[in-house]
Structures are given as structure tokens and as C-alpha cells.
Amino acid sequence: AEAESTPLPYTSKSTASPDVSCEFHAGSEERKERLHKALIELGLDPDEFLELPEYQGSAALRTYSSFMLPKSEGALAMANQPRRAAVVAN
């Protein structure tokens, strides 16, 4: 009898190894302050935005998360650009 093949478990490429990307999380508090300030300038409450069900799983929330916790050196460099918080907030 042939052994049944078991499918490999799904592994997300973006979140499988969070430790690898942790080195790029430095400065996240400063980025959070800049982004929250930019959101407030647009009339959005950052805390409310993070909790609203219509934003859960949205591109807006993914963009917010990527800005706050970049996963690569290039993404960190982009997030640290002076006007990037305003671009992300928009």
C-alpha cells in the first residue's frame, strides 16, 4: 500500500519568521507618533481607525502595519523618509 502524502502546512512568507524582521522595528514608536499626527491632521482618530471593523484586513491597515513594523532594510529606509507618514496616512 502506498503511503498517503500529507500536504505541508501553510507557512506565510510575510509572518513566518517575525524574529528575522524585528531588527527593522527600531524606531517604531517615533514612526507611530509621526503617523498618528498625520492621521489626526486628516481628521482621523488613530485608535478608532485601528478598531473599526471595516478596516480589519484592509489595504489601509496593512499599509499602517508595514509602516510601523517594516520587514526589510528597504522598507525601513522608506518608512524613515520625512514625508512618508503623511503619504501613508493618505
Side-chain angles (χ1 to χ4, degrees):
E2 285 185 37
E4 287 185 36
S5 63
T6 308
L8 295 173
Y10 172 75
T11 303
S12 168
K13 289 182 174 45
S14 65
T15 58
S17 304
D19 292 346
V20 172
S21 62
C22 285
E23 64 188 279
F24 305 115
H25 294 181
S28 63
E29 281 302 313
E30 185 269 337
R31 286 191 300 278
K32 179 179 181 178
E33 287 176 21
R34 288 192 298 138
L35 182 52
H36 283 204
K37 181 181 176 200
L39 288 167
I40 290 167
E41 287 174 3
L42 292 173
L44 296 171
D45 178 340
D47 296 323
E48 185 177 292
F49 160 75
L50 294 172
E51 300 299 323
L52 290 172
E54 60 262 33
Y55 287 112
Q56 298 306 306
S58 70
L61 194 54
R62 287 191 302 275
T63 301
Y64 176 94
S65 297
S66 294
F67 178 80
M68 296 296 298
L69 304 171
K71 292 182 173 58
S72 70
E73 191 173 334
L76 176 61
M78 180 76 75
N80 285 334
Q81 291 179 351
R83 295 281 307 138
R84 188 63 184 168
V87 171
V88 169
N90 260 326

